[in-house]
Amino acid sequence: MDSQSSQASQPPQPPQSPPPPHSFQVDLRGLVDLLSHHLYSSPKVYLRELLQNAVDAVTARRAAEPDAPARIRLYASDGGLRVEDTGVGLTEPDVHGLLATIGRSYKRAEGLEEARSDFLGQFGIGLLACFVVAERIRVVSRSARTPGAPPVEWTARDDGSYTVRTLPDAERPEPGTTVYLTARAGAAEWLAPERVRALARDFGSLLPYDVRVGDEPVTELPAPWDRAHPGPAGRRVALARHCRELFGFTPLDSIDLDMPVAGVRGVAYVLPSAVSPAQRARHRVHLKGMLLTERAEQLLPDWAFFVRCVLDTDSLRPTASREALYEDETLAAVRDALGTRIRSWLTGLAAGDPERLAAFLAVHHLGVKSLARHDAGMLRTMLPWLPFETTDGQLSLEEFARRHPVVHFTRTVEEYRQVAPIAAAQGVGVVNGGYTYDSELVEALPRVRPGTVVAELDADTVTAHLDAVDPAEELALSGFLAAARDRLDPLGCDVVLRAFHPLSVPALHLDDRAARHEQARAAAEEQADDLWAGILGSLRGSAPRARLVLNHLNPLVRRIGSLGDPELIGTATESLYGQALLMAQRPLRPADSALLNRAFIGLLEWATHGEGDGR
């Protein structure tokens, strides 16, 4: 019989049953090490978890019994901590299903899933975090949902073992839960009474229930921003005191963040001193009264770096560690709403309190400029107030535009310093756009002030505003100008003669970015090998060269122009060139530094020439 027939004659095999499932084995000590070193920033979170479990238990009980007592008590002594609550409590099946199973919590218990939004915790880690500071956890609980159930005791150790037993009614006559912690070696300080008191006050000051450490109240309700005060001035003083206690500074002002639609209530405090926009602001965020984090960095728009916030929210999601905010659409919407509130505060100051606005802008004009460059309405509002450095002094763009038909600006501080004195003397108005955001705001000016003409200032514009010299006088100085041009030509600089004020300025060095780029390319070409020199040579552009503008009205320039010695003219021209660079506060190239040294030595030699032979 062939193989196919043999196979066909065999009886059908019964289907194989699937292999039995296996459960994950959890190394509790390894998991605790993971929590303490990677999930939580500090062992102190153990107390937040205890408070959170107690608050959630009370919330769960009150969902069924609105009039149930809402008390949480903490007692610390002798290296141990006891936490009592009047919450929903647990039965023996609850203990096995909730406390002994990682990832379960009150929120997933039967009948409570629909109420999860009322709870603080969302991840069911619960008592596990307490093993960060405790070697043993004992829980005694009695259920409010099953009145006939006896009290139950759950005792767990940090090696992963636990025991469960029922207790006589006298051990826990009323519903609720008591948690006992025994400190692990080296962690007793976290269970010391002073530390427990400080942590409870820090985490739980805004909780909605009666929380006490011993007989000392922890909660301080209503929240500082919700308390009644005799008037606005009294409220401002009270909030300033709260800011000093919380953040350590006295604020310039406080901004209400009462936005029920966004699920946020709180206050923003304006810093009294300037900070870098790159510095990440850290804010205090409470979630349903429980402190979530003191370092919320993504709460506000980047431009609002001049405030520090403290707020309570019921709409934002925490991360797994419950020490930061989860970045999602809700957080983005809240961030936009908070930014709108801060923007409204600024426009309100502009409309009704110019003195406070001026005090604020004296410190934080950079933050407002950052906002105004993207917000035409804010720029329009702040135009009369934002300060800019101009050739007319510190002015707002609004005032400067009223004075000058064309608003000239420079893109760098160096360019401004180079031309500001000369432009001012010629009646040309210039704004220093070299500071952060300033050039962007000047360019945006026509959008909010129609009819305003804005132009970037360049060397040609400055030169065009300087008076030309009489042709006959310039012709008479042609030999002097030729010698001067020959000396500066290797530096990529032309020499021109003009008449301008102030008379005390003998020479003005003018260039623009294109000319500087060409100078840098030429310098690199000189130092490169043949290959790179050829490549850089192919990049040579037709950019205008820098120019040294000699002031024909200056007495020194007139005397130099009368010299007959070409070598001395060249040395004097190099001196004027170096002095003009220094006046512009421009960084010197190696060739410029060498020129200055050469000119200085040359002038010394000329001044002392002949003294040795008696002439």
Side-chain angles (χ1 to χ4, degrees):
M1 183 181 296
D2 61 23
S3 61
Q4 291 182 347
S5 300
S6 174
Q7 291 175 1
S9 63
Q10 292 179 3
Q13 299 294 321
Q16 293 185 352
S17 58
H22 298 278
S23 298
F24 285 104
Q25 299 299 310
V26 177
D27 179 358
L28 186 59
R29 287 179 176 172
L31 189 55
V32 169
D33 181 73
L34 179 68
L35 291 176
S36 60
H37 289 95
H38 299 282
L39 183 63
Y40 295 132
S41 62
S42 166
K44 70 180 182 180
V45 297
Y46 88 90
L47 192 67
R48 184 195 62 198
E49 295 293 338
L50 286 173
L51 283 175
Q52 181 171 286
N53 286 342
V55 169
D56 285 344
V58 172
T59 301
R61 183 176 180 184
R62 283 204 156 188
E65 304 176 49
D67 296 329
R71 296 188 305 272
I72 300 171
R73 298 290 184 266
L74 297 89
Y75 303 94
S77 63
D78 300 327
L81 176 65
R82 182 171 91 252
V83 181
E84 299 178 353
D85 69 64
T86 57
V88 67
L90 300 171
T91 61
E92 184 174 355
D94 291 335
V95 166
H96 286 287
L98 297 176
L99 299 186
T101 305
I102 295 172
R104 297 292 302 278
S105 69
Y106 286 125
K107 282 73 73 178
R108 294 173 178 84
E110 182 180 356
L112 295 177
E113 180 69 25
E114 68 278 0
R116 289 185 71 222
S117 63
D118 293 331
F119 295 97
L120 297 173
Q122 297 289 321
F123 299 94
I125 296 175
L127 289 175
L128 187 62
C130 294
F131 281 118
V132 173
V133 298
E135 67 175 9
R136 188 175 64 136
I137 302 173
R138 176 172 173 253
V139 177
V140 176
S141 187
R142 184 163 194 163
S143 175
R145 288 183 293 144
T146 310
V152 61
E153 177 192 70
W154 176 83
T155 304
R157 306 189 69 86
D158 61 0
D159 61 2
S161 64
Y162 73 92
T163 60
V164 178
R165 67 187 180 112
T166 58
L167 302 175
D169 288 348
E171 291 284 336
R172 180 84 201 193
E174 299 295 329
T177 300
T178 302
V179 179
Y180 302 85
L181 299 187
T182 301
R184 65 190 308 160
E189 62 173 304
W190 293 103
L191 303 184
E194 297 79 9
R195 180 64 65 89
V196 169
R197 190 177 301 111
L199 292 178
R201 190 179 298 115
D202 200 33
F203 283 119
S205 62
L206 299 184
L207 289 174
Y209 304 133
D210 179 14
V211 182
R212 297 172 184 262
V213 177
D215 295 327
E216 183 177 333
V218 167
T219 51
E220 299 176 0
L221 297 178
W225 49 85
D226 288 331
R227 294 170 190 167
H229 299 282
R235 186 173 191 275
R236 191 176 297 120
V237 170
L239 288 178
R241 183 168 56 250
H242 175 248
C243 180
R244 282 195 303 273
E245 295 171 355
L246 206 59
F247 294 115
F249 65 84
T250 300
L252 283 177
D253 205 352
S254 56
I255 307 169
D256 283 321
L257 302 177
D258 181 10
M259 294 178 290
V261 174
V264 169
R265 291 184 62 83
V267 61
Y269 294 115
V270 181
L271 292 166
S273 57
V275 293
S276 168
Q279 179 179 332
R280 300 295 295 179
R282 295 184 172 186
H283 312 285
R284 287 178 64 96
V285 177
H286 296 254
L287 179 62
K288 301 180 182 71
M290 181 75 75
L291 179 66
L292 180 71
T293 177
E294 300 173 283
R295 303 185 302 274
E297 296 182 349
Q298 70 273 48
L299 185 65
L300 294 182
D302 289 341
W303 55 261
F305 55 81
F306 50 83
V307 299
R308 295 292 180 267
C309 293
V310 53
L311 55 83
D312 187 24
T313 176
D314 57 16
S315 62
L316 300 179
R317 290 175 57 197
T319 59
S321 67
R322 290 191 285 277
E323 293 186 294
L325 296 172
Y326 187 78
E327 185 69 51
D328 57 10
E329 293 180 357
T330 302
L331 178 56
V334 168
R335 182 163 50 234
D336 290 342
L338 293 174
T340 300
R341 179 56 55 89
I342 296 172
R343 185 186 297 111
S344 299
W345 169 78
L346 279 172
T347 55
L349 286 188
D353 201 339
E355 290 186 1
R356 270 206 298 164
L357 178 63
F360 166 75
L361 289 178
V363 179
H364 296 298
H365 58 276
L366 197 60
V368 180
K369 287 181 177 181
S370 173
L371 170 59
R373 66 194 175 117
H374 296 304
D375 189 322
M378 179 58 66
L379 178 57
R380 188 178 295 107
T381 300
M382 292 292 112
L383 268 182
W385 308 102
L386 286 174
F388 289 79
E389 183 180 358
T390 77
T391 48
D392 293 353
Q394 286 286 116
L395 289 178
S396 69
L397 286 182
E398 177 73 26
E399 176 64 23
F400 189 81
R402 282 201 297 264
R403 296 186 183 186
H404 299 278
V406 178
V407 178
H408 290 99
F409 72 98
T410 63
R411 292 194 181 275
T412 67
V413 174
E414 290 78 10
E415 290 173 349
Y416 177 80
R417 290 171 178 165
Q418 183 175 284
V419 302
I422 309 304
Q426 312 310 310
V428 179
V430 184
V431 178
N432 184 356
Y435 296 116
T436 306
Y437 310 132
D438 282 10
S439 61
E440 296 175 72
L441 293 175
V442 175
E443 290 181 297
L445 192 54
R447 298 204 306 266
V448 297
R449 197 176 188 275
T452 303
V453 179
V454 173
E456 184 175 356
L457 190 69
D458 55 24
D460 288 336
T461 303
V462 176
T463 305
H465 281 82
L466 305 180
D467 295 333
V469 177
D470 181 85
E473 294 186 34
E474 188 167 1
L475 181 61
L477 294 172
S478 58
F480 158 70
L481 293 174
R485 287 167 182 151
D486 287 343
R487 185 57 66 94
L488 296 187
D489 183 67
L491 296 173
C493 183
D494 291 331
V495 178
V496 297
L497 189 65
R498 291 290 187 273
F500 55 87
H501 292 274
L503 301 180
S504 59
V505 177
L508 176 65
H509 182 269
L510 294 177
D511 64 1
D512 52 27
R513 280 170 294 163
R516 289 196 292 276
H517 291 163
E518 175 60 21
Q519 289 176 346
R521 186 209 60 77
E525 182 180 356
E526 289 179 1
Q527 300 176 9
D529 56 28
D530 292 342
L531 174 61
W532 282 108
I535 295 173
L536 291 170
S538 68
L539 300 176
R540 183 182 296 112
S542 58
R545 287 154 59 93
R547 67 196 69 174
L548 181 68
V549 183
L550 301 178
N551 187 359
H552 187 54
L553 301 180
N554 181 268
L556 177 60
V557 173
R558 285 179 175 273
R559 288 197 296 272
I560 295 174
S562 65
L563 296 174
D565 183 354
E567 185 63 28
L568 184 55
I569 290 175
T571 300
T573 302
E574 288 178 338
S575 299
L576 291 174
Y577 174 84
Q579 189 265 351
L581 285 180
L582 294 175
M583 287 293 293
Q585 301 183 35
R586 291 283 306 281
L588 300 179
R589 299 172 297 166
D592 297 329
S593 299
L595 175 144
L596 278 172
N597 290 331
R598 184 172 63 248
F600 178 71
I601 296 299
L603 288 177
L604 282 179
E605 290 179 347
W606 178 80
T608 58
H609 178 68
E611 288 189 5
D613 56 12
R615 286 189 293 175

